[in-house]
Amino acid sequence: MCFFFSAVWIHSDGTHSLQMIRHSHVLAFECYLYCNILYMLFSVYSEELPTYKSMPKGQAVPKVERAEFNGNPDSLFFNDGKRRIDFVLVYEDESKNASEKKGSVMRRRQRRREFFEGSLMNLGVELEATQSVVDEKLVYVKVHMPFEVLCTYAEVLHIKLPIQPNDLAQQSSAYNCFTRHFYPSEDVIAKEPDFFTAPFRKDQLKCFCVKDREQFFTPAVRSRMAYYILSRAPYDIKGSVKKFGISKLLDGGVYKAAYPLHDSRFNVKSKEPDCPNERFLLYNEWAHPKSFYKMQPLDLIRKYFGEKIGIYFAWLGFYTVMLTLAAAVGLGCFIYGYTTRESSTWSKEVCDPQIGGEIIMCPQCDQICPYWRLNTTCESSKRLCIFDNYGTLVFAIFMSVWVTLFLEFWKRYQAELEHDWDTVEFLQQEEQLRPEYEAKCVYERVNPVTQVCVSLYAVLLIIASVVGVIVYRLAMFINFSAKLRTDLKYTKELEPFKEYVTPQMATSITASIISLIIIMILNNFYEKVAIWITDFELPRTKTEYENSLTLKMFLFQFVNYYSSCFYIAFFKGKVVGYPGQPVYWFGAFRNEECDPGGCLTELTTQLSIIMTGKAVWNNIQEVLLPWVKNLIFRHCTQVGSEKVIPRWEQDYQLQPIGKLGLFYEYLEMVIQFGFVTLFVASFPLAPLLALFNNLCEIRVDAWKFTTQSRRVVPEKAQDIGAWQPILQGVAILAVATNAAIIAFTSDMIPRLVYYWAISVSPHSDGSNHTMTGFINSSLSVFNITDFNGNSNPNVDTLYRDFRNPPNHPNQYEYSIHYWHVIAAKLAFMIVVEHIVYFTKFMLSYMIPDVPEALKEQIKRERYLTQVILHETNIKHFKELMKPVADNLQDEIEESELNLRL
């Protein structure tokens, strides 16, 4: 292009030499200007990334600078008070260890540590080592990232940084309008300023708002970049193979811990003048029990802990707020059932001595179990009426709509958080490869056989545990049937409970407790299996790794937690035969029948025990165990209370966050979400229990992160990851399970069939529909002379089923009434499913994932960001070219003067 313009000014006669000189200079300048603009606008970062660069061969390993503790317990800096501590490494000094047996191991650890620290210093990272005040064996290596190193890795990680204050009017969501009155005062926690941001580039440093180099990168961002370098710095080289990463050194015992620092104590403000005391603010305004009614300061949580933890607490808070509506409706449904239990027609018939008292029922087990009268189950029948009523049907449909609204509104709220926290394009721009992937992945290969076998083994183990619990139920039911009533009858203290504690209830409660114990034991096994399979897959990025692990763990836990509930809801009591020909397990145990009040009561018992027990156990793990561990650690390591302990040593005494981080927090809540949605037709109080648990869970997790745990390495996250499709899958499955529970587990459909089709004559006017007589119609007759080897007189007893009576041509086979009920159940399930699914999908279609106003705002901000960067580049370029232009102008004037002379 420059040559084309030059050719325009060439003349054959040479008469316009002065103009040619002037224009040639101008044209040269324009060409130079044009090429430099192209370079500045379209150049890319070409500097070689020093991520895995190790020391040149033969170079001496540099020694880490040693410094004594300066006595300031609140200091976050090196001893010079200028260089900020971005990370801390802790190791045990081998020279202080008197053991001779592990000498070679100690020397190898020392060699690897020295090489690793030398590699860090070779990358430009500054280190300072300080001996422990409490334990002379421990040494703390403080890591500082100079500004130039920060700039390099900010560009590598595509970290977005502010370029100009955002003066556009912010959109406020309806959710924020409702909750803003419960947020902490802005006088205490100031509102975060809003900026236009852009991915950082070193060659465009002047485009960014760099008022203070030390404050330009926040502590969370500095720690994130420090961990990125620590994860990739080599510590050993054998031939062409490099070993690298702080994770391997921690696993090998070379270092005992690696963590970023908290900025202060959680209950005492720092005395450092420039310390923001964000940990202190988070404890007082978020984690303290007195703040239970306040909304969470999400912006400060995100700023201090990173977007990944921020998005978790945002989701948990949103889920808890949405649960209030579900809990209120569920409580109303429970109150309705409780108040109408005495007026229920079928319950009255069971309790009536003239009806239920005259009905003799068949034994529920062989030889040991006695005949019994139906009115002995009066209390069970009343309990069933609390949960098995028409209000439950309405509530199940409501919950199907509620879960859709929850997921759709969460997507909208999540989109707003992505915009506010600047993570809209995170996965496309910022996420880096996992160091394990970079080290091992030469070519892709997945062994599906191994994965399928291991997964199948885990599922079979769960099934085996479920079968074991079933066998326990069968054996213990016989035992309880033989002894429980007698023991209660002859024990005066327990006699008042005789009518309430039935063999079925005792079996159900003890089996539920055993199931809970098995679930907790198997959790550890599933974790190891899922991690092993995922490590074998070698995912590219951390997000892919976590999503893969999440899916496996949830599938294992789904079977683990819900298998017993599915058994009670859909299998128990369904294939039992009839009194003359019962069905046996393994040829020895008679298949289990439902409680006389129905399997719905047992399902409610199972859900309440597992939900409550799980919540209590998790809170013990999250609160009591870390507190006891920290207490023991401080007691064992504290030499004298008069000693001043530095900030890094105080944090070392706290508990480390596990490698899986928030994984178990999410898993706990999603399993709870399954209980709230999958089986809510049998337990309308589940949302209320979940609400109470979550109100405690938010504060317990906050307390754990701020007071009992070391500061986590801040991580970026755009959303809740694989948990989002899992929640959607659970929501879709919940429609089918609740429809099936109402149709096949409860007695609602048989009652409706009786009310509309059987209670009146087909030739009447249909105005006398009634539930009177339903109990008799739900029982079938059995002649006890048909028992094998029975010589008792010809007496008829009853059992729960729809079968033909004795002496019928097809005696004891299913009656036409049974097939009518089955047809009604299938019709109900299909119709309800289609209506609810149609409603769900219509709601999903009508509610956009991202508000239109937010879409427009994002587009506007992107455009303005590009304009700002372009104008800043042009301004900066003009400043750079002004000396060149001045020199060129002087040359032009000098040339013109020479020509005139």
Side-chain angles (χ1 to χ4, degrees):
M1 186 177 290
C2 296
F3 292 115
F4 172 78
F5 284 113
S6 298
V8 175
W9 299 101
I10 296 177
H11 297 268
S12 59
D13 56 2
T15 55
H16 302 286
S17 58
L18 181 62
Q19 292 182 359
M20 289 174 61
I21 291 172
R22 180 181 295 114
H23 285 295
S24 63
H25 280 82
V26 172
L27 202 54
F29 173 73
E30 288 177 349
C31 267
Y32 181 74
L33 175 66
Y34 179 77
C35 294
N36 277 278
I37 289 176
L38 287 177
Y39 171 76
M40 293 192 66
L41 292 180
F42 300 105
S43 64
V44 295
Y45 182 77
S46 60
E47 181 180 340
E48 183 182 355
L49 179 64
T51 305
Y52 297 100
K53 185 172 69 176
S54 58
M55 293 174 295
K57 190 174 182 180
Q59 178 181 331
V61 177
K63 296 296 184 182
V64 179
E65 177 186 351
R66 288 269 183 165
E68 295 295 327
F69 172 49
N70 59 10
N72 184 357
D74 295 327
S75 177
L76 302 175
F77 296 87
F78 281 15
N79 270 14
D80 57 14
K82 297 178 181 179
R83 291 175 290 175
R84 185 181 186 87
I85 301 173
D86 298 316
F87 227 87
V88 175
L89 308 175
V90 186
Y91 69 88
E92 186 173 333
D93 190 353
E94 290 80 3
S95 62
K96 307 289 184 181
N97 198 323
S99 176
E100 295 292 338
K101 295 181 180 180
K102 299 182 179 180
S104 60
V105 176
M106 294 298 180
R107 286 192 296 271
R108 183 173 67 251
R109 288 179 179 176
Q110 182 178 0
R111 185 178 65 254
R112 288 183 169 183
R113 184 174 60 253
E114 290 176 350
F115 191 96
F116 180 72
E117 292 170 356
S119 299
L120 290 176
M121 288 186 281
N122 196 47
L123 292 170
V125 178
E126 297 178 2
L127 306 177
E128 182 181 81
T130 301
Q131 192 174 15
S132 170
V133 174
V134 174
D135 185 356
E136 63 177 8
K137 293 181 182 179
L138 296 181
V139 177
Y140 296 84
V141 180
K142 294 163 281 184
V143 179
H144 170 73
M145 300 271 287
F147 185 76
E148 287 299 321
V149 178
L150 290 170
C151 289
T152 299
Y153 284 92
E155 184 167 359
V156 170
L157 297 174
H158 302 282
I159 293 177
K160 290 185 175 181
L161 293 168
I163 55 176
Q164 183 175 304
N166 188 348
D167 53 359
L168 294 179
Q170 299 295 314
Q171 299 288 336
S172 181
S173 67
Y175 176 73
N176 286 337
C177 291
F178 172 74
T179 57
R180 61 187 176 87
H181 302 290
F182 299 95
Y183 279 100
S185 171
E186 290 189 7
D187 296 334
V188 179
I189 299 179
K191 187 177 180 180
E192 290 294 319
D194 193 17
F195 289 92
F196 290 113
T197 61
F200 182 79
R201 286 179 54 178
K202 289 175 68 175
D203 58 353
Q204 294 181 350
L205 182 60
K206 289 195 174 182
C207 297
F208 296 87
C209 297
V210 187
K211 296 180 180 179
D212 182 357
R213 286 193 164 200
E214 295 302 321
Q215 301 296 327
F216 182 54
F217 297 100
T218 65
V221 172
R222 296 174 68 105
S223 298
R224 179 184 161 202
M225 287 190 282
Y227 186 74
Y228 181 86
I229 295 177
L230 292 171
S231 299
R232 289 158 172 80
Y235 62 82
D236 198 1
I237 298 177
K238 291 185 178 180
S240 60
V241 178
K242 286 185 181 180
K243 297 182 179 181
F244 58 86
I246 186 65
S247 298
K248 295 287 185 66
L249 295 177
L250 289 170
D251 294 339
V254 177
Y255 288 99
K256 298 179 71 68
Y259 51 89
L261 289 180
H262 284 295
D263 65 348
S264 66
R265 297 173 64 185
F266 70 88
N267 55 354
V268 179
K269 279 190 174 183
S270 172
K271 296 179 182 179
E272 291 288 300
D274 296 328
C275 181
N277 290 294
E278 291 173 348
R279 185 189 186 194
F280 176 81
L281 291 175
L282 286 171
Y283 174 72
N284 280 280
E285 300 296 326
W286 177 47
H288 199 283
K290 70 178 182 181
S291 302
F292 75 94
Y293 65 93
K294 293 182 180 179
M295 298 300 294
Q296 303 180 88
L298 293 176
D299 287 337
L300 184 58
I301 297 170
R302 169 248 182 172
K303 180 183 177 184
Y304 191 74
F305 290 114
E307 285 80 4
K308 192 169 187 178
I309 289 182
I311 201 75
Y312 163 72
F313 280 106
W315 176 81
L316 181 56
F318 186 85
Y319 172 45
T320 304
V321 170
M322 290 292 291
L323 272 176
T324 55
L325 178 60
V329 178
L331 181 61
C333 177
F334 174 80
I335 293 173
Y336 168 78
Y338 186 81
T339 54
T340 58
R341 74 189 192 284
E342 298 289 347
S343 58
S344 170
T345 304
W346 58 89
S347 179
K348 287 180 179 179
E349 289 186 349
V350 171
C351 297
D352 191 342
Q354 303 300 320
I355 301 176
E358 298 296 327
I359 296 177
I360 300 175
M361 303 293 292
C362 291
Q364 290 188 302
C365 64
D366 298 334
Q367 299 179 354
I368 298 176
C369 296
Y371 296 93
W372 52 283
R373 296 186 182 274
L374 185 61
N375 66 343
T376 59
T377 63
C378 178
E379 294 301 323
S380 298
S381 177
K382 290 180 180 179
R383 286 197 302 269
L384 178 65
C385 292
I386 298 176
F387 302 103
D388 191 1
N389 54 68
Y390 299 119
T392 303
L393 172 61
V394 174
F395 183 58
I397 296 174
F398 163 81
M399 285 299 294
S400 298
V401 176
W402 172 88
V403 73
T404 303
L405 294 176
F406 162 64
L407 293 175
E408 293 304 316
F409 284 132
W410 163 248
K411 290 178 187 176
R412 292 170 66 87
Y413 183 51
Q414 182 175 259
E416 295 174 5
L417 290 176
E418 288 178 20
H419 168 256
D420 294 342
W421 293 355
D422 224 354
T423 60
V424 175
E425 298 174 342
F426 163 65
L427 292 180
Q428 291 78 18
Q429 291 185 355
E430 297 185 43
E431 188 163 29
Q432 304 296 315
L433 300 178
R434 295 170 61 235
E436 294 85 353
Y437 177 85
E438 294 175 305
K440 296 180 181 179
C441 189
V442 179
Y443 55 90
E444 293 187 9
R445 180 188 176 196
V446 178
N447 188 342
V449 176
T450 303
Q451 297 181 56
V452 171
C453 290
V454 175
S455 302
L456 185 61
Y457 171 73
V459 172
L460 289 176
L461 182 62
I462 300 171
I463 295 174
S465 67
V466 174
V467 172
V469 173
I470 293 173
V471 172
Y472 165 83
R473 297 172 71 105
L474 299 176
M476 291 309 297
F477 175 73
I478 297 174
N479 188 42
F480 284 138
S481 298
K483 299 181 179 179
L484 184 63
R485 292 283 188 181
T486 305
D487 293 343
L488 292 175
K489 182 177 180 181
Y490 293 104
T491 305
K492 293 183 179 180
E493 295 81 3
L494 301 178
E495 190 172 0
F497 301 98
K498 183 176 67 173
E499 298 298 325
Y500 301 95
V501 182
T502 62
Q504 291 87 354
M505 178 184 288
T507 303
S508 179
I509 291 175
T510 55
S512 299
I513 294 173
I514 291 174
S515 296
L516 177 64
I517 295 172
I518 292 175
I519 286 170
M520 297 305 175
I521 293 173
L522 290 179
N523 275 346
N524 294 326
F525 171 76
Y526 301 146
E527 175 189 338
K528 292 179 173 58
V529 171
I531 292 175
W532 181 80
I533 296 175
T534 309
D535 289 341
F536 186 78
E537 290 175 355
L538 203 63
R540 289 180 66 255
T541 65
K542 188 166 186 180
T543 298
E544 291 180 5
Y545 180 89
E546 291 178 349
N547 289 348
S548 178
L549 179 63
T550 295
L551 183 60
K552 294 179 183 63
M553 278 294 291
F554 178 75
L555 290 176
F556 291 155
Q557 300 292 3
F558 182 92
V559 180
N560 194 21
Y561 275 102
Y562 302 140
S563 55
S564 59
C565 296
F566 273 99
Y567 164 73
I568 294 173
F570 305 121
F571 297 100
K572 182 180 178 181
K574 301 298 186 292
V575 186
V576 295
Y578 57 92
Q581 291 187 358
V583 176
Y584 290 90
W585 278 68
F586 309 115
F589 298 102
R590 178 172 167 176
N591 202 359
E592 196 176 15
E593 296 184 25
C594 288
D595 185 271
C599 279
L600 198 68
T601 306
E602 292 189 52
L603 181 58
T604 303
T605 304
Q606 180 86 359
L607 286 171
S608 58
I609 289 177
I610 291 181
M611 280 192 70
T612 306
K614 174 177 169 292
V616 170
W617 175 249
N618 286 336
N619 284 327
I620 289 175
Q621 284 187 311
E622 293 181 5
V623 177
L624 191 59
L625 290 182
W627 181 77
V628 170
K629 287 180 180 178
N630 288 337
L631 191 66
I632 293 174
F633 186 85
R634 285 194 293 267
H635 177 74
C636 294
T637 59
Q638 190 75 31
V639 178
S641 58
E642 71 282 353
K643 289 192 174 182
V644 178
I645 302 177
R647 170 84 269 134
W648 51 85
E649 203 152 348
Q650 295 175 40
D651 286 4
Y652 177 67
Q653 296 175 353
L654 301 176
Q655 290 299 306
I657 297 294
K659 289 183 179 180
L660 297 180
L662 291 172
F663 176 81
Y664 277 108
E665 308 297 339
Y666 273 116
L667 181 62
E668 177 186 354
M669 290 296 103
V670 172
I671 293 295
Q672 181 206 86
F673 179 80
F675 283 123
V676 168
T677 54
L678 291 174
F679 308 101
V680 74
S682 66
F683 192 35
L685 289 179
L688 185 63
L689 290 180
L691 176 62
F692 287 149
N693 177 74
N694 289 7
L695 290 173
C696 296
E697 183 73 21
I698 291 174
R699 306 303 162 180
V700 165
D701 287 346
W703 176 81
K704 180 178 67 176
F705 277 109
T706 54
T707 68
Q708 301 301 306
S709 302
R710 296 170 190 161
R711 189 173 181 176
V712 298
V713 179
E715 293 183 59
K716 277 275 196 180
Q718 189 177 27
D719 48 38
I720 61 175
W723 298 110
Q724 183 77 29
I726 286 174
L727 292 173
Q728 292 173 335
V730 171
I732 293 172
L733 180 62
V735 177
T737 56
N738 283 298
I741 286 172
I742 293 173
F744 294 99
T745 307
S746 76
D747 286 333
M748 186 174 296
I749 303 303
R751 288 198 299 265
L752 289 174
V753 171
Y754 178 83
Y755 182 81
W756 292 106
I758 299 176
S759 66
V760 296
S761 170
H763 305 290
S764 66
D765 58 3
S767 60
N768 297 319
H769 294 283
T770 179
M771 286 303 300
T772 302
F774 168 72
I775 291 299
N776 235 351
S777 74
S778 66
L779 301 174
S780 298
V781 179
F782 181 79
N783 194 314
I784 63 173
T785 57
D786 292 331
F787 277 126
N788 292 331
N790 193 304
S791 59
N792 288 326
N794 188 357
V795 178
D796 289 339
T797 59
L798 301 179
Y799 59 97
R800 281 178 60 92
D801 211 339
F802 298 106
R803 292 180 180 268
N804 294 320
N807 302 321
H808 189 277
N810 298 315
Q811 68 174 3
Y812 302 137
E813 294 185 4
Y814 288 120
S815 65
I816 190 67
H817 188 184
Y818 170 83
W819 299 111
H820 286 165
V821 171
I822 288 295
K825 288 180 176 181
L826 292 174
F828 168 84
M829 186 170 176
I830 292 172
V831 171
V832 169
E833 274 189 355
H834 280 70
I835 292 175
V836 174
Y837 279 137
F838 178 77
T839 305
K840 285 169 64 68
F841 293 141
M842 284 300 297
L843 287 172
S844 300
Y845 177 77
M846 294 169 59
I847 303 174
D849 293 348
V850 182
E852 289 299 323
L854 182 59
K855 286 182 180 178
E856 294 301 321
Q857 187 171 359
I858 291 173
K859 291 179 182 178
R860 177 67 176 163
E861 290 182 2
R862 282 178 180 169
Y863 169 74
L864 292 177
T865 299
Q866 291 174 355
V867 170
I868 292 169
L869 284 175
H870 176 73
E871 291 177 349
T872 307
N873 281 331
I874 295 297
K875 181 181 177 182
H876 178 49
F877 183 73
K878 287 180 178 179
E879 292 176 358
L880 291 175
M881 295 307 299
K882 190 175 184 304
V884 178
D886 292 342
N887 291 335
L888 192 57
Q889 183 64 29
D890 292 340
E891 290 179 8
I892 293 173
E893 292 176 356
E894 184 178 352
S895 298
E896 290 177 351
L897 181 60
N898 292 334
L899 287 173
R900 289 193 184 99
L901 294 175

